[in-house]
Amino acid sequence: MASDVDTAPLVGRAELVQTVRSALLGDGAHGQTAAVFLTGESGVGKTRLLGEIGDRLREQGAVVLTGSCLDIGDASPLHPLLQALRRFDADLSTRARTSSAVRGLLQMFADETAGPDGAGALLERVSRGLHLIAEGRPLVLILDDLQWVDRSTRQLLLYLLAGLGDLQLSVLAAVRAESLQGAHPLRRVLTELRRLRTVRVLDLAPLGRADTEELAAAVVGRTLAAEAAEQVWQRSGGNPFVIEELARDLRDGRDGLSETLREIFLDRVDALPQHAHAVVHAVAAGVEPVQHWLLAQVLRLPEDELIDAARAAVAHRLLVGADDGYRLRHRLVAEVLAHELLPAERSGLHRRYAEALTAAPGELHQARLAHHWRLAGEPARALPAAVAAAQEAERLHGYAEAHRHWSAALQLAADPGPLTVDRVELLENAAEAAHHCGEHARALALLEELAALRGGEPSCALHIRRARYLAAAGRSALAEEEYQRALKAADCSPRDRAAAAARLAELLLHLGRYADAGERAREALALAENVEGSATEVVLASSALGFSDACLEDPDAGLAVMRDALDTAERAGQPEDVACAYLHLAELLTGPLNILEEGVVVARRGAERVAELGLGRTWGTRLLAIAINGLFRVGQWAEAEKVVAAALRHRPSGADAVELLLARCRLSVGYGDIEAAGRDLDAVATLLAGGGARHVIPLLTLRSGLAMWEGRHDVARLAVQRGLTESRSDDVMILSALVWHGLRAEAEAHASRTVDVDPTAVRRLRDVADRVARKSTGAARPVRSVVEGFLALCAAEVSRLDGSDPELWAVSAAEWDRRNHPYPAAYSRLRQAEALLARRSRVATAGKLLREAYHVAQGLGAVPLTSEIRELAGRARVSLEEREPNGATRGAPTDASDDELAALTAREREVLALVAEGLTNKEIGQRLFISERTIGVHVSHIFDKLQVRTRVQASAIQLRNHRG
């Protein structure tokens, strides 16, 4: 069929096209040589991009010469340049003078003979000839398939880009990444060229999920159904050529692969020698990587023939060989070859794999055995291997793998043959593995199947297990009910009763009900005294009791209890116990006790430890969320972003995802990334089915803060009012933070005059603040200290309703300085300055306060706060730059060598460095594991601080400050 590749739109590359155009012909490239090398896998769209960019450059008035390299080694020196000149000469639109220069250069090549002046003189003459062709216009040389470049062209590129000739030109070239293996000569050339400031090497990544769907929809002519879009994404891997072919299959109603793709891959396989053909078929049927010894057993070829065959498959770019074995370069090959074998051939190949693995000396490869016996049509032999693989994975704390193997065992048990299968045991193990690896919905579904299989009234143990799974899924209210049922169950043994009480204590702790948690913890410890081997119950109850005591009574005693609980957990070696002890210790340090630096260290160390124990996706994510919150409070926002990126790699779900999303949302609200914050809050609200005050109050507090930055003070008020209904929490800190947001919303409404102040809401908030103050008097001193900071903010916000009191704001700033919380301290200074300026008193003091707040807000990257400080300073005509006694501006550059990047945060410097490399926001986000939207916010901050309007201008400043 005729190909319509050229009719498909160029998707997901607009920013890259602009970046390359700016690099080649922008302000930074004016008057000097410049080059961009695009690398990427076959089919990723390099040739299409060269054509698109070439057209744009011609529109800008550049002379564009386009050539392609041939896969014939050095047989044709300077072939791509000669081809480009001939194409250019054939263009009837070229001017007579230009045509004369082109033909003169072509004639020079025709007349060239070896002489004493050597290659250097040839390169010089080529440079002069190209100079005549350019006639003062920008000259761009575009080269495709540079991986096949001849030696003479390589030398020419080095000569021209190093500025050795008298020609100013730009080069745009595409390189097939997989070809640059081993000692490929182009690797050395690119290494040399990278040292030049005006040379960039950009990797052309596959398209992302959204762009893949857009391209496929454009080819099909309609939006794809979710299932079809998922299939295109999974099979194509974002490769545009493959996307277009798969989309055409969908459009034309063809099942499977298109004939184009199938024939491309089959032609490559069929071109292999006979034994190499067999090697590729065997690797496609195997579990990658396929070790060499295993391949030898399956194919039964002599060693020399096997090595030659494998070498041929690698040379044809169908296989990749590594120390651990062989892999297909593209998984579509396996899909294509699966239809080329008869069923008997396929099952025979899998049988040979299984027999070879069974006969291999040493430890059996149970997971592979289960896979191959199943596909060989032997479920009775696959089932024991699947069970053994699951047990082995659990022994190594690989719960995700264990879940997969238990699920496979459940499927195989449907047809066990002569084997006797205990399906109840399989369901129990599969549910527990799903719970441990964070598949909470799956765990609950398996548990329901187990309950139905057993029949009758649920046992106490089943209630406890269901409660654990519900709590992990974020459904706290239902979990509490299940624990209560377990404690009332007639069959509840002393061990079960101790376990239910201990786990209920831990749940109550998460809900912020510290007094109730302490009571249940004491009950659990008393029950555990009479139960042998109750280390888990002791650890859980001790952690809850220590946390409760530290918050409500004696911080030192409570902290000691929790450290002892961690030691007990480590000695017992149960992964969940260790994780729970680390979690509560880190929570206590970063929260009520306000020992932030140590708390962050404990949280990150705990995350590393539980990851070793296979609980990184669940408990590890929660610990990292605690670290993020601690880093946020001490003002290390850039470091907190890095921790967010690390946590996101776990792909958490349930309550684990809630903790992380709330932590990330705090950063987004602080940064002013309204869209990202709103998205996270909506996700949390969806996940929080039956959640308690511990999550609901922070959710509503953040929603209120976000609404205030948006100027929606009525929405902020409603969020706070909803939060005040969560009255069962003993966590006076989160309540005091909520009350502050409520009073601030009323003060903002008063100041903006967009919404009337609600006197009833103010009265209720002041009553709650008084109640929190009274309640905190019975709390431990560190808890009272943090609450006092929020109450100071509350008192100061109330004063804004009737003439803001600068002294109250000074008290608030001092409170937060003492606690090392820079953000609320900077906010307080802004309001103190605002109050002083409103009274037209101590203007100099107000200016100093604004400068201090501005410095902190800029360092954090807090855009909304920075903007408000600037706005107030502008109205009051206050300079935000500090002046030295000699009149110079502190921190301002006094000469060109000073660092112009001083105003940027550490994260903003990272982003700017990648902008200067020519990366798009999406690519920077992928590199730094941050959302594209957040990168956009950082770039906006950078432009604002550097007072530039384009990426090229920002990149120029970056390069100017990092020469050498």
Side-chain angles (χ1 to χ4, degrees):
M1 91 183 225
S3 175
D4 54 354
V5 172
D6 291 339
T7 66
L10 186 66
V11 172
R13 307 299 192 195
E15 194 167 354
L16 179 62
V17 170
Q18 183 57 42
T19 298
V20 174
R21 288 175 60 193
S22 298
L24 297 178
L25 294 186
D27 295 338
H30 181 69
Q32 57 186 332
T33 58
V36 174
F37 294 91
L38 297 176
T39 67
E41 66 175 341
S42 300
V44 80
K46 300 182 296 297
T47 301
R48 175 73 185 280
L49 267 174
L50 294 186
E52 184 77 20
I53 295 169
D55 290 342
R56 304 282 183 89
L57 296 176
R58 288 187 186 93
E59 292 171 2
Q60 289 181 251
V63 176
V64 179
L65 304 178
T66 303
S68 300
C69 303
L70 298 179
D71 190 11
I72 53 176
D74 287 338
S76 183
L78 295 175
H79 168 79
L81 179 60
L82 287 167
Q83 183 189 56
L85 290 169
R86 291 180 184 124
R87 287 176 176 174
F88 192 66
D89 186 44
D91 185 352
L92 298 179
S93 65
T94 56
R95 296 176 289 190
R97 183 175 173 182
T98 303
S99 295
S100 176
V102 171
R103 288 167 186 163
L105 187 52
L106 286 170
Q107 188 61 43
M108 185 272 290
F109 282 119
D111 297 341
E112 180 68 20
T113 57
D117 50 358
L122 172 62
L123 296 178
E124 178 61 28
R125 289 196 291 274
V126 171
S127 176
R128 286 200 299 268
L130 292 174
H131 183 77
L132 292 173
I133 292 170
E135 294 185 291
R137 293 170 291 171
L139 178 64
V140 181
L141 179 60
I142 296 182
L143 301 175
D144 200 3
D145 285 326
L146 198 67
Q147 69 277 359
W148 295 324
V149 66
D150 60 273
R151 182 173 57 183
S152 298
T153 305
R154 291 197 303 268
Q155 291 174 339
L156 178 65
L157 288 176
L158 285 170
Y159 180 86
L160 294 176
L161 292 177
L164 298 179
D166 61 355
L167 177 68
Q168 303 282 327
L169 92 161
S170 299
V171 173
L172 174 61
V175 185
R176 189 176 296 176
E178 61 264 30
S179 297
L180 298 183
Q181 304 295 327
H184 195 291
L186 187 59
R187 294 181 67 183
R188 183 181 63 80
V189 173
L190 290 179
T191 300
E192 292 292 327
L193 291 175
R194 279 178 188 269
R195 300 176 183 176
L196 302 177
R197 187 168 57 87
T198 55
V199 173
R200 297 183 185 180
V201 180
L202 305 180
D203 182 52
L204 191 58
L207 298 180
R209 176 73 174 261
D211 289 334
T212 295
E213 292 188 24
E214 181 183 345
L215 177 56
V219 174
V220 174
R222 65 179 186 279
T223 302
L224 271 63
E227 184 178 352
E230 173 69 16
Q231 188 179 47
V232 171
W233 165 247
Q234 292 294 339
R235 296 170 76 196
S236 70
N239 185 290
F241 174 77
V242 179
I243 294 167
E244 293 174 20
E245 290 298 318
L246 293 174
R248 289 187 191 97
D249 286 347
L250 285 173
R251 182 193 64 193
D252 300 336
R254 288 190 298 269
D255 293 329
L257 291 175
S258 70
E259 288 305 311
T260 302
L261 276 179
R262 187 178 301 280
E263 290 305 320
I264 285 173
F265 286 118
L266 282 178
D267 285 347
R268 292 174 63 186
V269 174
D270 290 342
L272 293 170
Q274 179 183 359
H275 292 323
H277 190 279
V279 165
V280 172
H281 271 283
V283 173
V287 177
E288 295 182 344
V290 177
Q291 298 95 328
H292 185 80
W293 69 265
L294 181 57
L295 194 61
Q297 292 292 318
V298 170
L299 293 178
R300 300 164 187 169
L301 289 173
E303 181 68 8
D304 289 346
E305 293 183 19
L306 177 60
I307 290 176
D308 288 343
R311 188 185 303 279
V314 171
H316 281 72
R317 301 192 179 96
L318 286 164
L319 290 188
V320 176
D323 291 341
D324 60 349
Y326 301 103
R327 293 177 174 82
L328 294 172
R329 188 176 291 276
H330 202 301
R331 284 307 304 172
L332 267 180
V333 173
E335 193 173 332
V336 170
L337 295 182
H339 299 285
E340 298 303 307
L341 294 177
L342 295 172
E345 289 179 298
R346 272 199 307 277
S347 62
L349 199 53
H350 286 293
R351 179 178 295 277
R352 291 202 298 275
Y353 264 115
E355 290 171 346
L357 289 167
T358 303
E363 190 174 357
L364 287 177
H365 304 264
Q366 299 290 0
R368 291 189 176 192
L369 267 179
H371 170 79
H372 289 300
W373 279 130
R374 178 175 62 83
L375 293 179
E378 297 276 3
R381 302 182 74 172
L383 178 57
V387 170
Q391 292 169 339
E392 176 66 11
E394 287 181 337
R395 187 179 67 80
L396 299 174
H397 310 299
Y399 295 109
E401 293 78 10
H403 173 229
R404 188 171 66 250
H405 295 315
W406 284 121
S407 297
L410 280 170
Q411 291 179 338
L412 291 166
D415 183 19
L419 295 178
T420 301
V421 177
D422 185 348
R423 190 167 181 83
V424 168
E425 182 180 356
L426 288 179
L427 284 167
E428 286 180 340
N429 286 310
E432 193 69 6
H435 165 69
H436 282 309
C437 74
E439 295 291 341
H440 304 304
R442 173 68 174 159
L444 286 165
L446 289 168
L447 200 62
E448 292 310 309
E449 185 180 346
L450 176 63
L453 187 64
R454 282 178 168 171
E457 286 294 317
S459 66
C460 177
L462 191 65
H463 281 304
I464 293 174
R465 181 176 284 200
R466 183 181 288 126
R468 287 171 53 222
Y469 296 177
L470 286 167
R475 299 161 70 180
S476 305
L478 293 175
E480 184 178 357
E481 292 174 6
E482 283 295 320
Y483 280 131
Q484 297 290 1
R485 291 191 186 101
L487 289 168
K488 295 174 183 176
D491 66 333
C492 197
S493 67
R495 177 180 295 281
D496 287 339
R497 196 173 300 280
R503 293 188 181 280
L504 178 55
E506 196 222 352
L507 175 65
L508 294 170
L509 195 66
H510 277 297
L511 295 176
R513 291 158 55 187
Y514 302 147
D516 293 343
E519 182 181 341
R520 284 295 184 184
R522 290 184 179 89
E523 176 188 346
L525 288 171
L527 290 167
E529 286 182 358
N530 301 316
V531 177
E532 289 292 328
S534 57
T536 294
E537 290 73 21
V538 169
V539 169
L540 293 175
S542 297
S543 295
L545 180 61
F547 199 110
S548 174
D549 285 350
C551 289
L552 303 177
E553 298 178 15
D554 186 342
D556 293 334
L559 193 56
V561 169
M562 296 191 71
R563 294 190 194 279
D564 288 344
L566 177 57
D567 291 340
T568 301
E570 287 284 14
R571 286 195 301 272
Q574 288 297 319
E576 274 204 345
D577 298 349
V578 174
C580 178
Y582 264 116
L583 182 80
H584 293 318
L585 179 58
E587 281 181 318
L588 181 65
L589 291 168
T590 58
L593 300 190
N594 198 44
I595 308 174
L596 298 174
E597 287 79 3
E598 183 184 355
V600 170
V601 170
V602 169
R604 297 180 83 166
R605 184 189 304 141
E608 292 176 1
R609 179 73 178 104
V610 301
E612 294 171 359
L613 298 173
L615 301 176
R617 186 184 179 196
T618 51
W619 295 89
T621 297
R622 293 191 188 192
L623 282 159
L624 290 177
I626 292 170
I628 294 161
N629 290 330
L631 291 166
F632 176 84
R633 292 180 184 123
V634 297
Q636 296 183 31
W637 291 9
E639 184 63 22
E641 277 193 279
K642 294 179 181 177
V643 181
V644 169
L648 285 172
R649 296 189 194 111
H650 292 311
R651 297 178 295 105
S653 64
D656 315 315
V658 167
E659 300 278 5
L660 179 58
L661 290 172
L662 286 173
R664 184 171 70 173
C665 185
R666 287 186 183 90
L667 283 168
S668 297
V669 171
Y671 282 136
D673 191 346
I674 291 172
E675 184 175 336
R679 196 165 52 239
D680 282 346
L681 289 174
D682 290 342
V684 169
T686 301
L687 289 167
L688 273 182
R694 175 184 173 82
H695 291 137
V696 172
I697 291 179
L699 165 69
L700 294 170
T701 302
L702 286 168
R703 199 176 284 288
S704 173
L706 180 62
M708 278 186 272
W709 286 135
E710 293 178 290
R712 301 162 63 200
H713 308 305
D714 52 340
V715 174
R717 173 190 294 155
L718 289 173
V720 172
Q721 294 302 315
R722 282 184 56 202
L724 292 177
T725 62
E726 291 287 345
S727 58
R728 295 186 66 189
S729 175
D730 296 325
D731 195 331
V732 287
M733 290 193 303
I734 62 173
L735 283 173
S736 58
L738 179 71
V739 173
W740 166 46
H741 277 69
L743 290 169
R744 180 182 159 203
E746 298 300 332
E748 296 288 353
H750 174 74
S752 66
R753 292 181 169 80
T754 56
V755 180
D756 291 336
V757 174
D758 185 344
T760 304
V762 174
R763 199 161 44 247
R764 183 185 183 191
L765 287 164
R766 295 183 71 172
D767 288 344
V768 175
D770 291 341
R771 191 162 65 246
V772 167
R774 290 194 300 272
K775 198 170 185 179
S776 68
T777 57
R781 178 59 207 164
V783 177
R784 293 201 306 273
S785 176
V786 175
V787 172
E788 286 166 3
F790 282 113
L791 293 178
L793 282 167
C794 290
E797 295 287 5
V798 170
S799 78
R800 290 177 69 193
L801 298 173
D802 187 23
S804 190
D805 186 345
E807 295 306 317
L808 290 176
W809 286 114
V811 170
S812 177
E815 289 282 348
W816 290 109
D817 280 340
R818 187 158 55 87
R819 292 165 184 78
N820 191 28
H821 288 235
Y823 184 80
Y827 172 80
S828 299
R829 286 189 172 85
L830 162 65
R831 295 295 173 224
Q832 184 185 358
E834 183 181 56
L836 289 171
L837 292 170
R839 298 184 179 197
R840 302 183 184 278
S841 66
R842 298 163 58 193
V843 175
T845 301
K848 181 181 178 183
L849 290 167
L850 283 176
R851 284 188 287 273
E852 290 175 357
Y854 182 70
H855 175 73
V856 171
Q858 270 207 315
L860 293 172
V863 174
L865 182 59
T866 301
S867 299
E868 194 165 352
I869 294 168
R870 281 184 180 146
E871 184 180 345
L872 177 59
R875 290 199 310 267
R877 298 182 180 180
V878 170
S879 173
L880 293 175
E881 299 291 345
E882 291 192 62
R883 299 281 175 180
E884 299 286 3
N886 62 4
T889 301
R890 183 180 300 174
T894 56
D895 58 57
S897 64
D898 282 337
D899 188 0
E900 298 171 88
L901 311 179
L904 303 186
T905 65
R907 175 62 89 184
E908 287 166 353
R909 288 177 182 244
E910 281 186 287
V911 171
L912 178 57
L914 296 174
V915 167
E917 287 184 21
L919 272 64
T920 65
N921 287 359
K922 181 183 292 186
E923 291 166 339
I924 295 172
Q926 291 169 346
R927 181 81 62 88
L928 299 180
F929 300 100
I930 303 173
S931 73
E932 184 178 357
R933 173 67 60 177
T934 300
I935 294 298
V937 173
H938 283 311
V939 171
S940 176
H941 299 174
I942 292 166
F943 284 9
D944 190 32
K945 293 180 181 181
L946 298 183
Q947 297 183 350
V948 298
R949 291 188 298 172
T950 69
R951 299 171 83 90
V952 173
Q953 292 170 336
S955 299
I957 293 176
Q958 165 73 10
L959 295 170
R960 185 161 63 238
N961 283 271
H962 289 83
R963 288 175 181 157

